[in-house]
Amino acid sequence: MQDIGHKKPSSLWLLPSLCLAATVPGQGAEVIEIATNDSAMIFVAKPGAPVVFRHWGGKIDDKRALLQKGYNENLQVLPAFGGRNHANIALSLVHADGSLTTELICAGVETSVLDDNRVETIVHLKDSLYPVFVDVRFTAYKSENVITQRAVIFHREEKPLRVESIASSYIPLRANSYYLTHFHGAWGREMRVTEEKLTPGVKTIEEYRKGVQTTMSDNPSFMLSLNHPADEDAGDVYAGALAWSGNYKLTFAIDEREILHFTGGMSPFAASRILEPGKIMETPEMVLTYSDRGRGQASRNLHDWCRRYGLAHGDQPRAVLLNSWEGAYFKFDEKTLTDMMDAAAELGLEMFVLDDGWFGNKYPRDNDKAGLGDWQANKKKVPRGIGYLADYAVAKGLRFGIWIEPEMVNAKSELAERHPEWIVKSPGRAIPESRNQWLLDLSNPAVQDFVVKTFDDVLALSPNITYIKWDANRHVLSPGSEYLPADKQTHFWKDYVDGLYKVYERVRARHRRITMQLCSSGGARLDYGALKYHDEFWTSDNTNAVDRIFIQYGTNMIYPAIATAAHVSATRNHQTGMMLPLKFRFDVAMSGRLGMELQPKDIAGEERSFAKNAIQNYKLVRSIVQFGDLYRIVSPYDEGARAALAYVSKDKKQSVFFAYTLQNSARTSTFDVRLKGLDPAKNYKVAELNPKNPSGVFPGNGNTFSGDYLMKAGISLKIHRPHESVVLHLTEK
Ligand code: DGJ
């Protein structure tokens, strides 16, 4: 995991002159290049003048031409309000004397090689008049072609100043037209893909004042295609994802010169704060990538970066698990759970996760109205305690995991009785409930200590607990902190998230090996800020396989399959009320981190053998899905009501291919499709996995084809009715 801390920049302001990353002599201005293997972001600086953006895209050999372009001071590295800058502002301050103007000029540039793959570049800026200093910090991840960007502000004015807004990243782009892809949705339909042509004016994507659930309406991420709608495999695509679990704002503004200005970071509302002299304020990181091979390569860059830098244990395979929620909800006793574990072991699963409902005694957690906050095992439901259940799992050859929601409290709980001062609320007003619960004030260090202790205490219930599902089922309503002073109430938004991250840091430092799932009413908190402390996320409470094809398609544009929990459930078709075929449900879930979430005793006879076999098959292809490269082949949004995708191992020796027919039957009787991502020079044996009957739907089953043939001529699958599917495993021959 990456350190989110930073060095105090104090001594650096004494640099006598510029020390630039790359220098082109004799021009008065100099080039700063932030380069990855295949991309570069380039700025131009001269002493005492603003640092100006010049380029983001493919690498440029001859950088002198960049210096010859006009020296346009409006396209600065971090445009601050005042002077000539009035639009597309990334920083806005009210100085201690009330002045609204800030003019940032270059005060030096530092470049450090962090290791073989990472170079950090810090652009030091200072105000031309006031002792206000801003660092714009970039890290280039060479082999992943990712650049992260954030800003740090610090001042030595005599009195506090007010930060009105500070973005993580500002980038201008020039093209004839711009197409924005973003991920809109709601509970149960997260990450719907929307692509739109941007028109002159401003398009904003934001999570306004909900605070702690980033993905309730839109995810803090985007893709941008220049001059035409994004193609999967060709053309310039820029992608970004803000690593922040609070209010955010991403703005795309086309000005009168048809330049697109992207500004992204915490929403100004959440960033507004009083900054004391000598104190540092730091923005979250924006994770950026450029691809000249369409959306597909942009996703693969982000996935590679995430597995290596943005996810806990990103190099370790994920277990196939059974979660108790949809199979038992709150209604279980010890036997219900041990029966589920027996079945899980028999099916070949590797872990059992006990979800909500196991705690609370004075106020038992028998529904969502009581008990939250009282993290002691319920004596009636689990009389022999969690230790007994965890040992039972281990004796069956399973790992054991457990659910917590430590940021929240029910009104009906001992915790709410003991600590009313910890509850987020506006003074003197009723505290609105959402899912019958309130939020604990994580800006308060005492609450942070409580959450860390809760985590420790729950793990202390058994040394055999190795997985925690961390849920968070409400957002901020009627905000207010009894801990923060009256003049710092607006700090709540950022301090809550900083408090949450402090807690994550502490629990991760104490429990490095624990697997953690990020969950929030399904996928409502999905961002690279929280994800780096977790091993995976719960993608959606909607486990309907048809809906999941869309949800997983959108989610995996930005976040990788290894972290995408995808469970086979017993959810019925929304329109017909019929159960979707078990094969279809497995084939969809197997394209992510496979799990099950149902009452396993309801799967009997042939279905049981099918499930066992499918779980075995997943283990066969798990490393390709979890560590391979994703190729989207047919979008579920396209006409034809079909979808197809594949993962290809990094050495291109193996691939696993998935195809689905959706709700409406397709027009032809076969699904003809060309594969992607293979090595044209290699020969692959193609085996159908999970066939419904021995003859399967791929006539070439068991035969060998060249990668060239499979990608140019393609294959023909005998599927066309709704909810049919196929999985093919390709291995080099
Ligand atoms: C919401 C989660 O998304 C579900 O998976 C489940 O854990 C429930 N909360 C439990 O209350």
Side-chain angles (χ1 to χ4, degrees):
M1 256 177 291
Q2 213 192 326
D3 182 11
I4 61 163
H6 63 86
K7 290 178 288 181
K8 193 173 165 178
S10 51
S11 65
L12 302 169
W13 307 114
L14 305 173
L15 284 175
S17 62
L18 287 174
C19 93
L20 291 168
T23 300
V24 182
Q27 305 285 320
E30 316 205 29
V31 167
I32 305 166
E33 184 183 34
I34 292 130
T36 67
N37 286 351
D38 302 324
S39 74
M41 199 181 273
I42 298 177
F43 299 89
V44 170
K46 65 181 172 189
V51 175
V52 174
F53 178 95
R54 276 287 185 264
H55 170 78
W56 181 28
K59 276 179 143 168
I60 295 173
D61 290 340
D62 183 2
K63 291 178 242 328
R64 278 172 308 183
L66 291 166
L67 292 169
Q68 284 153 21
K69 270 185 168 179
Y71 197 65
N72 188 340
E73 296 202 352
N74 289 329
L75 305 182
Q76 295 174 13
V77 62
L78 199 79
F81 179 79
R84 287 179 177 279
N85 292 344
H86 57 88
N88 309 309
I89 293 304
L91 175 71
S92 176
L93 302 177
V94 181
H95 294 277
D97 64 4
S99 168
L100 302 179
T101 293
T102 303
E103 288 181 321
L104 294 178
I105 55 171
C106 185
V109 178
E110 261 188 295
T111 300
S112 347
V113 175
L114 303 180
D115 54 37
D116 281 358
N117 195 44
R118 294 178 304 153
V119 177
E120 185 182 50
T121 304
I122 308 175
V123 177
H124 299 297
L125 304 167
K126 67 180 290 299
D127 185 71
S128 55
L129 191 60
Y130 292 81
V132 172
F133 309 98
V134 178
D135 278 358
V136 184
R137 301 173 82 110
F138 299 91
T139 305
Y141 298 82
K142 289 194 233 165
S143 53
E144 295 79 17
N145 288 308
V146 162
I147 294 171
T148 59
Q149 184 178 2
R150 68 194 154 108
V152 180
I153 181 167
F154 157 88
H155 74 97
R156 293 208 189 95
E157 295 195 13
E158 279 180 5
K159 290 198 198 129
L161 56 70
R162 174 169 279 284
V163 177
E164 297 275 272
S165 69
I166 179 164
S168 302
S169 174
Y170 162 77
I171 292 163
L173 293 168
R174 287 171 195 267
N176 290 329
S177 55
Y178 310 91
Y179 290 80
L180 172 68
T181 301
H182 62 106
F183 306 95
H184 192 73
W187 178 85
R189 53 184 178 89
E190 293 88 344
M191 301 293 285
R192 303 293 293 201
V193 180
T194 303
E195 182 173 44
E196 58 199 272
K197 183 174 181 185
L198 293 173
T199 52
V202 183
K203 166 86 188 177
T204 297
I205 292 168
E206 64 182 326
E207 184 57 80
Y208 192 40
R209 292 175 190 192
K210 284 184 172 166
V212 298
Q213 291 188 318
T214 37
T215 314
M216 264 310 196
S217 53
D218 231 299
N219 189 258
S221 61
F222 66 92
M223 289 200 183
L224 260 176
S225 171
L226 304 189
N227 299 325
H228 46 73
D231 185 275
E232 259 315 296
D233 306 300
D236 287 335
V237 168
Y238 297 83
L242 184 68
W244 183 242
S245 310
N247 305 314
Y248 64 85
K249 186 170 184 174
L250 311 180
T251 303
F252 304 84
I254 298 181
D255 71 10
E256 60 281 9
R257 293 165 297 170
E258 297 190 350
I259 296 174
L260 173 71
H261 304 263
F262 163 70
T263 314
M266 285 180 287
S267 106
F269 175 77
S272 156
R273 76 196 276 121
I274 298 162
L275 193 61
E276 312 281 342
K279 293 270 190 247
I280 282 170
M281 178 179 178
E282 185 171 352
T283 72
E285 266 185 339
M286 182 68 73
V287 181
L288 299 161
T289 191
Y290 161 76
S291 151
D292 61 1
R293 278 163 287 157
R295 267 184 189 162
Q297 190 57 45
S299 297
R300 291 188 286 277
N301 291 350
L302 290 174
H303 297 170
D304 285 344
W305 177 85
C306 177
R307 278 190 296 255
R308 193 159 172 195
Y309 300 104
L311 191 66
H313 312 122
D315 57 352
Q316 291 168 29
R318 289 352 190 203
V320 191
L321 60 83
L322 173 67
N323 178 296
S324 68
W325 181 241
E326 290 190 28
Y329 292 107
F330 292 107
K331 213 166 172 287
F332 57 81
D333 58 16
E334 214 172 63
K335 175 136 187 352
T336 324
L337 302 176
T338 52
D339 283 355
M340 285 176 112
M341 288 191 251
D342 290 345
E346 197 252 320
L347 283 166
L349 298 167
E350 299 163 322
M351 177 151 64
F352 176 74
V353 179
L354 172 54
D355 209 282
D356 199 352
W358 59 269
F359 49 89
N361 283 300
K362 182 173 174 192
Y363 301 107
R365 180 74 171 170
D366 291 335
N367 51 49
D368 62 15
K369 295 191 174 63
L372 207 52
D374 303 344
W375 299 104
Q376 298 79 35
N378 179 283
K379 294 199 171 100
K380 268 202 200 137
K381 280 173 157 172
V382 285
R384 282 179 277 190
I386 297 301
Y388 170 77
L389 293 170
D391 291 351
Y392 190 94
V394 169
K396 288 273 157 193
L398 300 169
R399 290 175 55 194
F400 186 82
I402 197 160
W403 178 97
I404 55 172
E405 192 180 8
E407 291 163 71
M408 313 276 170
V409 63
N410 279 127
K412 250 174 128 185
S413 68
E414 294 181 72
L415 179 66
E417 288 169 357
R418 257 194 339 267
H419 286 294
E421 78 284 8
W422 285 0
I423 294 158
V424 172
K425 55 182 167 310
S426 296
R429 297 175 199 275
I431 320 173
E433 284 181 335
S434 170
R435 208 199 186 206
N436 309 299
Q437 66 195 56
W438 293 329
L439 193 66
L440 295 176
D441 176 11
L442 270 182
S443 72
N444 181 343
V447 176
Q448 294 167 21
D449 291 346
F450 166 79
V451 176
V452 173
K453 186 166 181 316
T454 299
F455 201 93
D456 287 348
D457 290 350
V458 169
L459 283 181
L461 294 173
S462 167
N464 284 330
I465 300 176
T466 57
Y467 175 107
I468 294 281
K469 174 173 175 178
W470 181 307
D471 205 347
N473 285 295
R474 67 159 286 179
H475 53 82
V476 181
L477 291 167
S478 204
S481 161
E482 280 194 36
Y483 170 74
L484 294 170
D487 65 340
K488 300 222 164 91
Q489 286 294 311
T490 61
H491 295 200
F492 168 77
W493 303 102
K494 181 168 187 311
D495 287 2
Y496 183 100
V497 180
D498 287 343
L500 176 67
Y501 291 170
K502 281 184 198 151
V503 168
Y504 286 153
E505 289 282 344
R506 287 168 64 189
V507 301
R508 270 307 185 191
R510 294 145 98 98
H511 308 288
R512 291 203 176 277
R513 296 164 71 92
I514 293 293
T515 307
M516 267 171 74
Q517 186 186 70
L518 173 64
C519 174
S520 178
S521 305
R525 179 188 278 166
L526 175 55
D527 54 77
Y528 278 128
L531 192 56
K532 74 176 170 198
Y533 302 100
H534 294 80
D535 299 67
E536 60 174 31
F537 51 85
W538 182 224
T539 316
S540 176
D541 277 345
N542 184 347
T543 50
N544 178 288
V546 172
D547 294 340
R548 272 302 189 109
I549 289 174
F550 290 89
I551 294 170
Q552 291 168 202
Y553 175 84
T555 301
N556 295 148
M557 286 238 174
I558 304 292
Y559 306 99
I562 188 174
T564 306
H567 295 180
V568 173
S569 78
T571 307
R572 288 167 187 275
N573 182 303
H574 299 318
Q575 273 126 32
T576 60
M578 306 273 285
M579 191 71 83
L580 293 166
L582 188 64
K583 171 178 167 52
F584 184 75
R585 288 182 273 148
F586 260 103
D587 289 357
V588 172
M590 277 174 62
S591 70
R593 195 281 282 135
L594 175 69
M596 295 184 85
E597 186 145 344
L598 40 63
Q599 182 46 263
K601 71 170 182 248
D602 295 345
I603 304 181
E606 274 180 24
E607 287 212 319
R608 203 168 185 89
S609 327
F610 178 87
K612 269 172 120 165
N613 186 254
I615 291 163
Q616 273 314 110
N617 285 337
Y618 183 73
K619 291 177 187 169
L620 197 67
V621 299
R622 161 166 45 196
S623 65
I624 318 171
V625 173
Q626 298 188 357
F627 302 107
D629 287 331
L630 168 65
Y631 289 85
R632 288 179 289 266
I633 300 176
V634 178
S635 162
Y637 289 89
D638 288 350
E639 265 181 66
R642 295 157 160 182
L645 69 153
Y647 296 94
V648 180
S649 64
K650 291 281 175 194
D651 59 10
K652 297 206 181 275
K653 288 184 172 172
Q654 291 195 75
S655 173
V656 55
F657 165 88
F658 300 89
Y660 314 105
T661 52
L662 304 177
Q663 206 67 28
N664 311 306
S665 58
R667 287 165 304 212
T668 61
S669 58
T670 54
F671 186 167
D672 300 317
V673 59
R674 292 175 192 168
L675 273 49
K676 283 188 189 174
L678 303 172
D679 180 344
K682 285 192 184 347
N683 288 318
Y684 296 92
K685 182 172 177 189
V686 184
E688 185 175 347
L689 303 183
N690 305 346
K692 202 164 82 188
N693 49 51
S695 56
V697 294
F698 175 51
N701 185 30
N703 296 346
T704 298
F705 305 87
S706 73
D708 183 66
Y709 174 87
L710 292 167
M711 292 193 290
K712 287 182 182 156
I715 55 175
S716 191
L717 304 165
K718 291 191 285 177
I719 55 172
H720 70 285
R721 293 188 191 85
H723 315 141
E724 291 186 315
S725 53
V726 61
V727 183
L728 302 177
H729 181 199
L730 286 72
T731 36
E732 189 188 8
K733 248 319 227 186

PDB file of all heavy atoms in Angstrom, residues 89-106:
ATOM      1  N   ILE A  89     -11.092  27.616 -12.375  1.00  0.00           N
ATOM      2  CA  ILE A  89     -10.207  27.858 -11.235  1.00  0.00           C
ATOM      3  C   ILE A  89      -9.977  26.561 -10.466  1.00  0.00           C
ATOM      4  O   ILE A  89     -10.912  25.822 -10.168  1.00  0.00           O
ATOM      5  CB  ILE A  89     -10.868  28.914 -10.309  1.00  0.00           C
ATOM      6  CG1 ILE A  89     -10.931  30.259 -11.027  1.00  0.00           C
ATOM      7  CG2 ILE A  89     -10.137  29.024  -8.987  1.00  0.00           C
ATOM      8  CD1 ILE A  89      -9.612  30.780 -11.508  1.00  0.00           C
ATOM      9  N   ALA A  90      -8.705  26.299 -10.131  1.00  0.00           N
ATOM     10  CA  ALA A  90      -8.401  25.104  -9.339  1.00  0.00           C
ATOM     11  C   ALA A  90      -8.067  25.459  -7.896  1.00  0.00           C
ATOM     12  O   ALA A  90      -8.015  24.574  -7.042  1.00  0.00           O
ATOM     13  CB  ALA A  90      -7.227  24.350  -9.961  1.00  0.00           C
ATOM     14  N   LEU A  91      -7.820  26.739  -7.636  1.00  0.00           N
ATOM     15  CA  LEU A  91      -7.504  27.165  -6.264  1.00  0.00           C
ATOM     16  C   LEU A  91      -8.109  28.541  -6.034  1.00  0.00           C
ATOM     17  O   LEU A  91      -7.960  29.438  -6.870  1.00  0.00           O
ATOM     18  CB  LEU A  91      -5.974  27.249  -6.083  1.00  0.00           C
ATOM     19  CG  LEU A  91      -5.498  27.801  -4.741  1.00  0.00           C
ATOM     20  CD1 LEU A  91      -5.757  26.790  -3.617  1.00  0.00           C
ATOM     21  CD2 LEU A  91      -4.009  28.144  -4.779  1.00  0.00           C
ATOM     22  N   SER A  92      -8.789  28.675  -4.907  1.00  0.00           N
ATOM     23  CA  SER A  92      -9.361  29.970  -4.588  1.00  0.00           C
ATOM     24  C   SER A  92      -9.143  30.231  -3.105  1.00  0.00           C
ATOM     25  O   SER A  92      -9.502  29.400  -2.263  1.00  0.00           O
ATOM     26  CB  SER A  92     -10.853  29.928  -4.952  1.00  0.00           C
ATOM     27  OG  SER A  92     -11.455  31.111  -4.584  1.00  0.00           O
ATOM     28  N   LEU A  93      -8.532  31.375  -2.793  1.00  0.00           N
ATOM     29  CA  LEU A  93      -8.170  31.672  -1.401  1.00  0.00           C
ATOM     30  C   LEU A  93      -8.724  33.026  -0.989  1.00  0.00           C
ATOM     31  O   LEU A  93      -8.861  33.929  -1.818  1.00  0.00           O
ATOM     32  CB  LEU A  93      -6.645  31.740  -1.251  1.00  0.00           C
ATOM     33  CG  LEU A  93      -5.829  30.502  -1.650  1.00  0.00           C
ATOM     34  CD1 LEU A  93      -4.336  30.796  -1.511  1.00  0.00           C
ATOM     35  CD2 LEU A  93      -6.219  29.307  -0.776  1.00  0.00           C
ATOM     36  N   VAL A  94      -8.999  33.171   0.289  1.00  0.00           N
ATOM     37  CA  VAL A  94      -9.207  34.499   0.872  1.00  0.00           C
ATOM     38  C   VAL A  94      -8.027  34.701   1.825  1.00  0.00           C
ATOM     39  O   VAL A  94      -7.908  33.993   2.836  1.00  0.00           O
ATOM     40  CB  VAL A  94     -10.540  34.594   1.644  1.00  0.00           C
ATOM     41  CG1 VAL A  94     -10.715  35.996   2.196  1.00  0.00           C
ATOM     42  CG2 VAL A  94     -11.717  34.200   0.758  1.00  0.00           C
ATOM     43  N   HIS A  95      -7.139  35.601   1.457  1.00  0.00           N
ATOM     44  CA  HIS A  95      -5.934  35.804   2.272  1.00  0.00           C
ATOM     45  C   HIS A  95      -6.305  36.419   3.617  1.00  0.00           C
ATOM     46  O   HIS A  95      -7.403  36.953   3.802  1.00  0.00           O
ATOM     47  CB  HIS A  95      -4.938  36.700   1.524  1.00  0.00           C
ATOM     48  CG  HIS A  95      -4.404  36.048   0.291  1.00  0.00           C
ATOM     49  ND1 HIS A  95      -3.356  35.171   0.315  1.00  0.00           N
ATOM     50  CD2 HIS A  95      -4.815  36.109  -1.003  1.00  0.00           C
ATOM     51  CE1 HIS A  95      -3.126  34.721  -0.914  1.00  0.00           C
ATOM     52  NE2 HIS A  95      -4.006  35.280  -1.735  1.00  0.00           N
ATOM     53  N   ALA A  96      -5.364  36.355   4.549  1.00  0.00           N
ATOM     54  CA  ALA A  96      -5.630  36.827   5.910  1.00  0.00           C
ATOM     55  C   ALA A  96      -6.109  38.274   5.918  1.00  0.00           C
ATOM     56  O   ALA A  96      -6.938  38.659   6.748  1.00  0.00           O
ATOM     57  CB  ALA A  96      -4.363  36.670   6.745  1.00  0.00           C
ATOM     58  N   ASP A  97      -5.627  39.095   4.970  1.00  0.00           N
ATOM     59  CA  ASP A  97      -6.055  40.507   4.949  1.00  0.00           C
ATOM     60  C   ASP A  97      -7.324  40.714   4.128  1.00  0.00           C
ATOM     61  O   ASP A  97      -7.735  41.839   3.890  1.00  0.00           O
ATOM     62  CB  ASP A  97      -4.919  41.376   4.399  1.00  0.00           C
ATOM     63  CG  ASP A  97      -4.591  41.043   2.932  1.00  0.00           C
ATOM     64  OD1 ASP A  97      -5.297  40.200   2.331  1.00  0.00           O
ATOM     65  OD2 ASP A  97      -3.638  41.621   2.388  1.00  0.00           O
ATOM     66  N   GLY A  98      -7.935  39.645   3.668  1.00  0.00           N
ATOM     67  CA  GLY A  98      -9.195  39.753   2.919  1.00  0.00           C
ATOM     68  C   GLY A  98      -9.010  39.759   1.413  1.00  0.00           C
ATOM     69  O   GLY A  98      -9.984  39.657   0.666  1.00  0.00           O
ATOM     70  N   SER A  99      -7.775  39.855   0.927  1.00  0.00           N
ATOM     71  CA  SER A  99      -7.556  39.859  -0.527  1.00  0.00           C
ATOM     72  C   SER A  99      -7.996  38.529  -1.141  1.00  0.00           C
ATOM     73  O   SER A  99      -7.743  37.454  -0.590  1.00  0.00           O
ATOM     74  CB  SER A  99      -6.070  40.100  -0.825  1.00  0.00           C
ATOM     75  OG  SER A  99      -5.832  39.823  -2.185  1.00  0.00           O
ATOM     76  N   LEU A 100      -8.629  38.634  -2.336  1.00  0.00           N
ATOM     77  CA  LEU A 100      -9.143  37.424  -2.998  1.00  0.00           C
ATOM     78  C   LEU A 100      -8.197  36.907  -4.076  1.00  0.00           C
ATOM     79  O   LEU A 100      -8.458  35.876  -4.684  1.00  0.00           O
ATOM     80  CB  LEU A 100     -10.498  37.740  -3.647  1.00  0.00           C
ATOM     81  CG  LEU A 100     -11.587  38.256  -2.723  1.00  0.00           C
ATOM     82  CD1 LEU A 100     -12.857  38.551  -3.512  1.00  0.00           C
ATOM     83  CD2 LEU A 100     -11.885  37.258  -1.619  1.00  0.00           C
ATOM     84  N   THR A 101      -7.132  37.639  -4.330  1.00  0.00           N
ATOM     85  CA  THR A 101      -6.280  37.302  -5.476  1.00  0.00           C
ATOM     86  C   THR A 101      -5.052  36.495  -5.072  1.00  0.00           C
ATOM     87  O   THR A 101      -4.377  36.826  -4.105  1.00  0.00           O
ATOM     88  CB  THR A 101      -5.841  38.597  -6.193  1.00  0.00           C
ATOM     89  OG1 THR A 101      -6.994  39.185  -6.760  1.00  0.00           O
ATOM     90  CG2 THR A 101      -4.836  38.302  -7.302  1.00  0.00           C
ATOM     91  N   THR A 102      -4.798  35.454  -5.861  1.00  0.00           N
ATOM     92  CA  THR A 102      -3.583  34.659  -5.685  1.00  0.00           C
ATOM     93  C   THR A 102      -2.946  34.530  -7.072  1.00  0.00           C
ATOM     94  O   THR A 102      -3.652  34.269  -8.052  1.00  0.00           O
ATOM     95  CB  THR A 102      -3.938  33.259  -5.134  1.00  0.00           C
ATOM     96  OG1 THR A 102      -4.650  33.431  -3.909  1.00  0.00           O
ATOM     97  CG2 THR A 102      -2.695  32.422  -4.887  1.00  0.00           C
ATOM     98  N   GLU A 103      -1.655  34.752  -7.167  1.00  0.00           N
ATOM     99  CA  GLU A 103      -0.957  34.582  -8.448  1.00  0.00           C
ATOM    100  C   GLU A 103       0.220  33.659  -8.210  1.00  0.00           C
ATOM    101  O   GLU A 103       1.187  34.046  -7.553  1.00  0.00           O
ATOM    102  CB  GLU A 103      -0.478  35.934  -8.983  1.00  0.00           C
ATOM    103  CG  GLU A 103      -1.628  36.782  -9.478  1.00  0.00           C
ATOM    104  CD  GLU A 103      -1.174  38.130 -10.033  1.00  0.00           C
ATOM    105  OE1 GLU A 103      -0.250  38.746  -9.470  1.00  0.00           O
ATOM    106  OE2 GLU A 103      -1.761  38.565 -11.038  1.00  0.00           O
ATOM    107  N   LEU A 104       0.109  32.444  -8.728  1.00  0.00           N
ATOM    108  CA  LEU A 104       1.137  31.439  -8.437  1.00  0.00           C
ATOM    109  C   LEU A 104       2.232  31.469  -9.492  1.00  0.00           C
ATOM    110  O   LEU A 104       1.955  31.372 -10.694  1.00  0.00           O
ATOM    111  CB  LEU A 104       0.507  30.046  -8.376  1.00  0.00           C
ATOM    112  CG  LEU A 104      -0.480  29.814  -7.236  1.00  0.00           C
ATOM    113  CD1 LEU A 104      -1.078  28.416  -7.318  1.00  0.00           C
ATOM    114  CD2 LEU A 104       0.169  30.028  -5.868  1.00  0.00           C
ATOM    115  N   ILE A 105       3.462  31.576  -9.022  1.00  0.00           N
ATOM    116  CA  ILE A 105       4.609  31.542  -9.935  1.00  0.00           C
ATOM    117  C   ILE A 105       5.548  30.418  -9.522  1.00  0.00           C
ATOM    118  O   ILE A 105       5.476  29.912  -8.408  1.00  0.00           O
ATOM    119  CB  ILE A 105       5.362  32.896  -9.934  1.00  0.00           C
ATOM    120  CG1 ILE A 105       5.758  33.261  -8.494  1.00  0.00           C
ATOM    121  CG2 ILE A 105       4.521  33.982 -10.583  1.00  0.00           C
ATOM    122  CD1 ILE A 105       6.687  34.454  -8.411  1.00  0.00           C
ATOM    123  N   CYS A 106       6.418  30.064 -10.439  1.00  0.00           N
ATOM    124  CA  CYS A 106       7.289  28.913 -10.203  1.00  0.00           C
ATOM    125  C   CYS A 106       8.354  29.240  -9.153  1.00  0.00           C
ATOM    126  O   CYS A 106       9.004  30.282  -9.203  1.00  0.00           O
ATOM    127  CB  CYS A 106       7.968  28.533 -11.517  1.00  0.00           C
ATOM    128  SG  CYS A 106       8.946  27.047 -11.333  1.00  0.00           S
TER     129      CYS A 106
END
